[in-house]
Every structure is written in structure tokens, then in C-alpha cells.
């Protein structure tokens, strides 16, 4: 079926009509670029995604990587796609010209990423992880470490991972046991085990640089004692080329429900006491450094969830247009021709829900990307602070909301295909399996809820929230057309209730009611995120209705009407569903807090 990925009209709308990404070219960092260069890069990404990534997506799912005790093997198609991606310069796309990069905005690079994520998230993971690891090295590592690894990571000759999770600790990084002992030569000897390390072993590159969290003996307890190390698969010779194998051992591959084309590994460091690691930055600052990678990765996870959801949506949309079944009123007579199922009201409901989830998630995460670009180019210190606080506040939403609703979109795609959707002959079941990882990794959605309610809301005396509400109010005032104003009227009571919940939470978080409040954190995240996404849809609706009012071109009328329909669906159908969570939070419901383990 045609047009399974992202329609260019959609991407152009998000980038240039909603976000005004073209304005970034006025900033010194991006002055070498213009809309034409942005579009040329996106053209290249779309073409590569369709021709090299999409064709082997199902094949890689059916033929996941294998380990024979010596090396990991995978489809040759993955290597071809990876090499083309790196040779095109995409790994270094956002990096400075002086680093060999294209110095493109994060927003444009994420627009490109959308095509790869929709086409084949598993193969896309390898270069994405590498770019994120390289970014940490660029910002925090010493010149020696940069010289050793950075340039080769940006060309894809070396790849990168982040190795955080340990078998006994899971998401509780305070409890990691991996140790790093200073050696006479100034390097460290790493010893420990890590699990669920994506891209931890493969033959796609000459070397793999693991960013490993470990504790230096004698350091502070808990997370304050965590340091970050670059630990290569191969140590380098005097010319900077891979030489002897470092003491990093693949303990085994993990066999996943989805994302099967990406190796997920259990790694052992220092089994023979000779794993060399190189300290990044200062001792005991590792978690702070790694969170830079993780926060960017969290936007990437949310965006990926929206894009995988979008792939399923586009497929189910084309299927619904082609598949005939039953008859729609008033043509219900047996002699009437069967109708395409898109003419059935319940099918349109499910398509509209998918559109609202996926285009809402896309717009949300591209907004987050634009905040990064604005923060990077803003010269005014006060405005930089406001951007930073807003970005920090919204990061749990960027990760959690799309990763919750992207899989729901895929579930609806399966439902639209009916029995066919439940079979492996159609791609929508793989989309769901691939997407189901996203609520889990880079910090589960439960952790995002605790982060938002327990920390992010109150940082900097709540200034991030103040910035957010100022921006929401501004967009509400811009709703000058009738349908947009109707959306604002529907949204306002929920924002008012959210404000009351925050005031209540400010009291409860410092009282003996804190345990109940935090137990219900997922309820708060749902209310907060739904309000934010309703605002994201209002931003799209404002643009769409203004264009319709001005007299859009004939070929764009249906596009803008579709935007209005999705915005109205979200605000009228989805936003009111938070009423249950508002009631639970307002009443300080303690059902989940009071239940004891023995009751189960």
C-alpha cells in the first residue's frame, strides 16, 4: 500500500506552519541553511527510509540476530542500511561543522528521524544510540577521549551504547554494583554486569563505545556516587585504531517481543580483571552527564512511539479505503454494493482516534525539539532559563504520553484490519509489538509520573509551570475563529481543575499525605499530559482554521478540515476521560496505597 510512512504535507505543516522552523535560519548557528536545505535533507531521509529501511523491517523481525558463541550475525540488509545512513552524514547531522557535522537543527533531524522510525525502528536504533552517546562525549569528555572516539562515532566507524541497567537493580540506579577502580596508568578497571543494553554487540562497526555507569570505591552513597566511563569493545593502538579486545563479554542475547532487529544484550565487564574504562568528566557526576543523553532519548522514545503508531495508522487507513464489507445506511438492501469499511462510523472513530494520538504525539515531540533549538540559540540569559525550565518540565510528557497512546493507536489499527490484523501477514501486529517497548525503556511511564509530580513541578519554584501556562494562555487568546474558540471553551475547565490539583499537591507533597499522592502519580501524569496535548492540538487547530478562513487552496481544504476534526475529537472525546483521575486525586483516594502485598 502506498504512502505508509509520513505524508510530506503533514511534515511541512508541522515544521513550517505550526512551528515556523524556517525562523531558525535567522540564528547564527543555522545561518548557512534555509528551507530548501532543510527539505533536501528530509527528501534524502524519506528516500533512504523507503528504499533501504522499510523493505527489511519484517525480515529483521522474523530473522532476529543470532550469537554462535563468537560473534553476532544479522541480516546483511541491516548493514547496508546502516552504512548508507552513516555515509550520508546523518549520525553527525546536528553536530558542528568543525566536528564534521551538518549543523542542522534538532527539529529538522527529528523530522528526518520520523521517516526512519516509521520504516524500521530496529535498524534505526543503532545510529540513533551512537549519535546520543557521541553527544555526551562531545559535551563532557576530556580532549583525549574525544580524540579517541568522537570523530569515528560521528562517521559511524564506531557505534555507541548506554549501559545503565543491572540485573538486580532495574531502574533503581542508586543500587548499581558495577565498580571502577583507578589503575596506575590513570585509566580505570571496570567490573560488573549490565542487562538490556541495546546495540551492545554486533558487527556493524569496527568498535562499540559503551557509556557505562559505575561507582568508584569510596565515593558517596546512592546516585551521588555514580560516575560515567567510556568503555570500548576494543582498546585502541597508538594510531587510534581498534586493537586488542577489551574485557567486555557478551553473556547472551535477549529475545524480545518486538524491536527484534536491534540486539538487546547482557554484558559482563571485567570478567578477567582487565576491562579498561576512561572516566568521562568529573568523578561522581555520571548520572548528571548521562541524563543529558537520557533526556534527549526520552523525547526520541516518545517521538518513535508516535511514528510507529503513525505507520500503523497509515496502513489501516489505506486498508479501510480498499476493504469492502457490509453496507452503510441508507444503502442497506442486499442488492446494494458492499461499501469500503471506512464508510462505517465505528471505523472512522478508530481512524480519528489514531490520527489524534499520532499527529498529536508528533506535534508534541517536534515542539520539544524546537525548544532544544531555541535554547541552543537564545542569547538572552533570562529567556534561556525559561526555555530550559519549560523543557525540563515537559520532558516526562514528551516521553510518556506518546508512548502510552502510540501503542493504543496500533491496537486500533489491528482492530480495523480485523482478523487480518491479528496475523503476521500484515504489518500492524509488528507495529504494536515494536511499540510496546516504548512505555518501558528510558524510564518507565510510572517513573515519568513520579518525576513530574515529585520533582519537575516544583523545580525553580515552579517557574517551568509558569512559562507553560503563559504559552497556553497566549495560544488560547490567538483562537479567534469560532471552532477554535469552542475548543478553548471546552479546554478551560480542565486547565482550571489542573491548577486546583497542583495547589492541592503542593500542600500534600510536604505532608503525611505524600505517600498517597505519589501512589496516584500516574493519575496526575494523565491529567497533566492530556491538558498539554489538548493545547498542542489547539495550536494545530489555530493554524488550520485560520487557513480555512483565509481561503485555503482547494487541494488543502480536506487536509485542514482533517486537522480540525482531529483537534475536536481529542478535546471532546479524549480530554474528558481525565475526569476519573481528577476525581481520584481530588478525593485523595487511597485504594492503591492501602492495599498490602499479602492481599494478592
Amino acid at each position: 500500500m502506498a504512502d505508509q510512512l509520513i505524508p510530506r504535507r503533514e511534515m511541512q505543516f508541522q515544521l513550517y506552519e505550526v512551528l515556523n522552523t524556517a525562523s531558525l535560519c535567522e540564528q547564527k548557528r543555522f545561518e548557512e541553511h534555509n528551507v530548501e536545505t532543510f527539505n533536501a535533507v528530509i527528501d534524502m531521509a524519506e528516500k533512504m527510509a523507503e528504499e533501504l529501511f522499510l523493505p527489511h523491517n519484517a525480515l529483521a523481525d522474523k530473522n532476529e540476530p543470532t550469537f554462535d558463541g563468537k560473534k553476532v550475525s544479522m541480516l546483511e540488509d541491516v548493514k547496508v542500511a546502516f552504512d548508507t545512513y552513516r555515509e550520508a552524514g546523518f549520525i553527525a547531522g546536528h553536530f558542528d561543522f568543525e566536528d564534521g557535522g551538518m549543523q542542522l537543527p534538532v527539529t529538522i533531524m527529528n523530522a528526518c528521524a520520523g521517516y526512519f522510525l516509521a520504516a524500521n525502528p530496529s535498524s534505526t536504533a543503532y545510529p540513533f544510540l551512537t549519535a546520543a552517546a557521541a553527544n555526551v562525549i562531545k559535551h563532557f569528555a576530556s580532549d583525549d577521549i574525544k580524540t579517541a572516539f568522537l570523530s569515528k562515532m560521528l562517521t559511524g566507524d564506531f557505534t555507541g551504547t548506554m549501559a545503565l541497567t543491572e540485573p538486580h537493580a532495574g531502574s533503581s540506579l542508586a543500587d548499581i554494583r558495577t565498580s571502577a577502580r583507578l589503575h596506575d596508568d590513570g585509566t580505570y578497571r571496570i567490573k560488573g554486569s549490565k542487562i538490556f543494553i541495546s546495540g551492545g554487540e554486533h558487527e556493524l562497526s569496527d568498535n562499540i563505545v559503551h557509556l557505562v555507569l559505575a561507582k568508584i570505591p569510596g565515593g558517596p552513597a546512592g546516585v551521588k556516587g555514580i560516575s560515567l566511563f567510556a568503555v570500548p569493545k576494543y582498546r585502541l593502538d597508538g594510531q587510534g585504531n581498534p586493537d586488542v579486545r577489551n574485557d567486555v563479554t557478551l553473556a547472551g542475547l535477549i529475545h524480545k517481543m518486538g524491536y527484534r532487529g536491534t540486539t538487546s544484550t547482557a554484558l559482563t565487564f571485567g570478567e578477567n580483571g582487565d576491562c579498561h574504562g576512561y572516566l568521562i568528566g568529573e568523578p561522581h557526576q555520571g548520572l548528571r552527564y548521562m541524563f543529558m543523553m537520557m533526556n534527549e532519548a526520552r523525547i526520541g522514545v516518545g517521538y518513535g512511539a508516535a511514528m510507529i503508531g503513525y505507520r500503523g495508522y497509515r496502513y489501516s487507513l489505506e486498508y479501510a479505503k480498499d476493504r469492502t464489507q457490509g453496507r452503510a445506511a441508507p444503502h442497506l438492501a442486499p442488492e446494494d454494493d458492499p461499501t469500503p469499511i471506512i464508510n462505517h462510523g465505528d471505523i472512522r472513530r478508530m481512524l480519528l482516534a489514531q490520527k489524534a494520538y499520532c499527529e498529536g504525539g508528533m506535534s508534541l515531540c517536534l515542539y520539544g525539539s524546537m525548544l532544544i533549538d531555541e535554547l541552543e540559540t537564545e542569547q538572552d540569559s533570562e529567556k534561556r532559563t525559561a526555555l530550559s525550565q519549560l523543557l525540563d518540565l515537559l520532558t516526562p510528557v514528551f516521553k510518556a504520553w506518546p508512548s502510552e497512546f502510540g501503542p493504543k493507536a496500533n491496537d486500533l489499527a489491528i482492530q480495523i484490519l480485523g482478523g487480518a490484523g491479528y496475523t503476521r501477514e500484515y504489518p500492524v501486529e509488528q507495529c504494536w509489538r515494536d511499540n510496546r517497548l516504548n512505555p518501558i525503556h528510558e524510564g518507565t511511564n510510572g517513573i515519568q509520573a513520579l518525576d513530574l509530580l515529585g520533582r519537575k513541578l516544583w523545580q525553580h519554584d515552579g517557574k517551568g509551570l509558569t512559562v507553560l501556562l503563559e504559552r497556553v494562555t497566549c495560544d488560547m487568546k490567538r483562537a479567534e475563529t469560532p471552532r477554535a474558540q469552542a475548543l478553548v471553551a471546552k479546554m478551560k475547565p480542565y486547565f482550571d481543575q489542573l491548577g486546583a490539583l497542583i495547589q492541592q499537591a503542593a500542600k500534600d507533597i510536604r505532608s503525611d499525605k505524600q505517600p498517597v499522592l505519589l501512589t496516584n502519580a500516574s493519575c496526575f501524569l494523565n491529567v497533566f499530559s492530556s491538558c498539554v496535548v489538548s493545547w498542542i492540538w489547539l495550536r494545530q487547530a489555530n493554524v488550520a482554521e485560520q487557513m480555512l478562513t483565509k481561503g485555503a487552496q482547494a487541494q488543502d481544504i480536506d487536509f485542514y478540515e482533517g486537522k480540525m476534526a482531529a483537534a475536536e475529537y481529542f478535546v471532546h472525546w479524549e480530554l474528558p476521560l481525565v475526569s476519573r483521575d481528577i476525581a481520584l486525586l481530588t478525593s485523595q483516594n487511597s485504594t492503591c496505597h492501602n492495599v498490602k502485598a499479602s492481599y494478592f
Side-chain angles (χ1 to χ4, degrees):
M1 292 181 178
D3 206 14
Q4 294 175 28
L5 302 181
I6 310 162
R8 284 303 293 273
R9 184 67 186 87
E10 177 65 31
M11 191 61 78
Q12 299 288 310
F13 173 78
Q14 298 292 351
L15 292 178
Y16 304 124
E17 297 181 62
V18 178
L19 288 176
N20 190 22
T21 310
S23 65
L24 291 174
C25 301
E26 300 168 9
Q27 302 296 327
K28 184 175 181 180
R29 174 169 174 77
F30 304 120
E31 64 185 2
E32 297 295 319
H33 295 293
N34 53 42
V35 170
E36 286 70 29
T37 61
F38 290 170
N39 287 337
V41 176
I42 297 170
D43 285 342
M44 187 189 306
E46 183 179 28
K47 182 178 175 64
M48 287 170 53
E50 290 179 347
E51 295 181 359
L52 293 174
F53 283 74
L54 182 61
H56 74 269
N57 186 39
L59 287 174
D61 181 68
K62 294 174 184 175
N63 302 278
E64 57 188 310
T66 59
F67 178 51
D68 62 6
K70 295 182 179 179
K71 73 172 188 175
V72 169
S73 299
M74 62 181 69
L75 288 177
E76 180 62 25
D77 308 64
V78 181
K79 172 71 170 168
V80 172
F82 176 80
D83 284 346
T84 306
Y85 186 100
R86 69 181 187 88
E87 289 163 4
F90 276 106
I91 293 176
H94 178 62
F95 285 78
D96 297 344
F97 292 132
E98 64 189 41
D99 293 324
M102 291 189 275
Q103 209 161 299
L104 285 160
V106 170
T107 311
I108 297 301
M109 291 311 301
N110 276 346
C112 294
Y115 290 93
F116 294 108
L117 289 163
N120 189 327
S122 293
S123 291
T124 299
Y126 297 104
F128 278 23
L129 286 164
T130 301
N135 206 23
V136 173
I137 288 174
K138 174 179 169 61
H139 280 86
F140 302 115
S142 66
D143 288 341
D144 286 345
I145 294 177
K146 291 178 186 176
T147 299
F149 301 122
L150 183 58
S151 63
K152 290 190 176 181
M153 292 176 75
L154 294 181
T155 59
D157 293 302
F158 294 179
T159 51
T161 76
M162 64 173 153
L164 288 73
T165 307
E166 298 185 6
H168 68 282
S171 298
S172 180
L173 296 178
D175 298 321
I176 66 170
R177 297 173 185 162
T178 298
S179 64
R181 296 181 181 275
L182 183 63
H183 199 261
D184 294 340
D185 62 3
T187 65
Y188 287 78
R189 295 298 175 267
I190 311 298
K191 187 171 182 61
S193 298
K194 300 289 183 177
I195 197 169
F196 300 132
I197 310 307
S198 297
E201 183 59 66
H202 53 74
E203 301 295 320
L204 296 175
S205 59
D206 298 334
N207 206 352
I208 302 173
V209 182
H210 305 287
L211 297 189
V212 180
L213 291 182
K215 292 185 176 180
I216 300 171
V223 295
K224 293 182 179 179
I226 295 176
S227 299
L228 181 63
F229 298 85
V231 182
K233 175 180 175 180
Y234 295 100
R235 301 202 289 271
L236 306 182
D237 63 19
Q239 288 71 48
N241 298 313
D243 191 14
V244 298
R245 180 79 184 238
N246 205 3
D247 190 6
V248 181
T249 306
L250 176 63
L253 293 178
I254 297 164
H255 302 286
K256 309 184 297 295
M257 179 174 77
Y259 256 91
R260 292 177 178 175
T262 308
T263 54
S264 183
T265 61
L267 298 177
T268 301
F269 298 87
E271 191 172 29
N272 301 305
D274 195 32
C275 180
H276 292 219
Y278 310 95
L279 178 66
I280 292 176
E282 298 295 323
H284 319 311
Q285 298 298 312
L287 201 59
R288 180 169 68 87
Y289 302 151
M290 187 62 92
F291 262 110
M292 175 187 176
M293 180 177 180
M294 289 177 68
N295 284 339
E296 291 183 11
R298 283 170 175 171
I299 296 178
V301 167
Y303 188 59
M307 294 300 93
I308 298 170
Y310 208 84
R311 168 84 197 286
Y313 161 57
R314 297 300 302 178
Y315 193 93
S316 67
L317 173 61
E318 294 301 315
Y319 184 91
K321 290 177 179 178
D322 291 340
R323 168 69 167 162
T324 58
Q325 185 171 311
R327 289 155 183 82
H331 306 291
L332 300 176
E335 58 271 18
D336 289 328
D337 291 335
T339 188
I341 62 173
I342 198 170
N343 292 327
H344 296 302
D346 198 52
I347 299 294
R348 291 199 298 274
R349 174 189 63 82
M350 290 188 282
L351 288 170
L352 199 52
Q354 289 183 77
K355 181 179 176 69
Y357 299 161
C358 299
E359 292 176 8
M362 177 196 301
S363 194
L364 173 72
C365 293
L366 288 175
Y367 182 83
S369 304
M370 191 69 172
L371 289 179
I372 295 174
D373 287 321
E374 291 174 351
L375 179 60
E376 194 168 32
T377 56
E378 180 58 62
Q379 299 300 311
D380 183 279
S381 60
E382 198 170 308
K383 291 179 181 179
R384 280 181 54 82
T385 299
L387 286 165
S388 178
Q389 291 165 351
L390 179 60
L391 179 62
D392 209 28
L393 174 67
L394 289 178
T395 293
V397 179
F398 295 144
K399 192 277 178 182
W401 191 88
S403 69
E404 185 76 19
F405 284 86
K408 288 183 178 180
N410 291 136
D411 184 77
L412 290 170
I414 292 171
Q415 190 70 20
I416 287 171
L417 267 69
Y422 197 64
T423 68
R424 280 179 285 180
E425 281 69 32
Y426 293 83
V428 289
E429 64 85 27
Q430 184 192 339
C431 289
W432 184 86
R433 285 189 290 104
D434 288 342
N435 218 346
R436 190 57 187 83
L437 175 63
N438 288 315
I440 299 171
H441 70 156
E442 302 302 341
T444 66
N445 286 0
I447 288 174
Q448 303 306 315
L450 289 170
D451 186 36
L452 175 65
L453 183 55
R455 191 166 69 93
K456 293 290 178 65
L457 270 179
W458 321 115
Q459 285 184 158
H460 314 293
D461 296 321
K463 289 180 181 176
L465 181 64
T466 300
V467 176
L468 172 63
L469 294 178
E470 286 173 352
R471 293 195 172 200
V472 171
T473 301
C474 181
D475 285 315
M476 285 183 170
K477 289 179 179 177
R478 287 175 180 164
E480 298 173 345
T481 49
R483 291 168 75 182
Q485 289 175 339
L487 293 176
V488 171
K490 184 72 174 180
M491 291 163 54
K492 274 187 173 178
Y494 294 97
F495 275 90
D496 291 343
Q497 292 176 84
L498 174 62
L501 289 176
I502 292 172
Q503 289 180 359
Q504 178 180 315
K507 299 174 183 176
D508 292 350
I509 199 76
R510 296 178 177 85
S511 73
D512 58 1
K513 296 176 182 177
Q514 184 194 69
V516 172
L517 176 68
L518 294 181
T519 297
N520 296 338
S522 61
C523 295
F524 183 84
L525 176 63
N526 188 38
V527 177
F528 188 87
S529 298
S530 296
C531 286
V532 168
V533 176
S534 71
W535 163 58
I536 290 294
W537 267 113
L538 175 64
R539 287 168 52 81
Q540 297 182 70
N542 277 343
V543 174
E545 193 169 11
Q546 285 168 10
M547 295 305 295
L548 288 168
T549 302
K550 291 177 182 177
Q553 296 182 9
Q555 66 267 26
D556 283 334
I557 290 175
D558 282 350
F559 176 84
Y560 290 127
E561 287 289 357
K563 283 293 173 188
M564 294 305 302
E568 289 166 342
Y569 170 84
F570 189 85
V571 172
H572 289 287
W573 285 65
E574 297 291 332
L575 183 58
L577 296 179
V578 303
S579 296
R580 181 208 66 173
D581 290 328
I582 291 172
L584 290 170
L585 290 162
T586 302
S587 66
Q588 300 170 325
N589 186 277
S590 60
T591 300
C592 296
H593 173 71
N594 291 341
V595 69
K596 298 179 181 178
S598 59
Y599 295 177
F600 296 98

